[in-house]
Amino acid sequence: MTEQTVDSERVRAAVEQMRAALRAWAEAVAPAVPAMAEEFVRLAEHLREAGVVDEQGRPTRRDRPAWQSPYGPPPRRKH
């Protein structure tokens, strides 16, 4: 088995490059985050207005008979 040495200067340089790249990415994404949050708020408002969810964000119950289930009627029990 060959012995590998770790060059601490190369590791520090690589870590600094990663840190700089992540910092640049975070700075680039930061302005979009509030706009995205506002869009989610608008989406939630539209879902409430449409009656799809209630005030807590839970799905509202649909008024339809069980036989109108999108999955079809339940299977019959065999005795």
Side-chain angles (χ1 to χ4, degrees):
M1 184 151 61
T2 62
E3 189 175 314
Q4 293 182 353
T5 59
V6 176
D7 183 5
S8 60
E9 287 303 314
R10 287 182 67 189
V11 171
R12 281 191 196 105
V15 168
E16 189 53 44
Q17 286 177 348
M18 285 296 296
R19 186 177 294 148
L22 288 173
R23 189 177 299 123
W25 176 83
E27 290 172 359
V29 170
V33 173
M36 190 170 40
E38 290 175 17
E39 201 60 37
F40 277 118
V41 168
R42 266 187 250 130
L43 173 64
E45 289 172 2
H46 289 295
L47 290 173
R48 278 192 296 275
E49 289 172 6
V52 177
V53 297
D54 63 11
E55 290 301 316
Q56 287 77 33
R58 285 181 252 148
T60 55
R61 185 177 173 133
R62 296 184 182 193
D63 294 330
R64 67 174 181 217
W67 59 268
Q68 287 183 340
S69 166
Y71 307 106
R76 301 255 180 211
R77 287 187 171 181
K78 296 181 182 178
H79 295 270

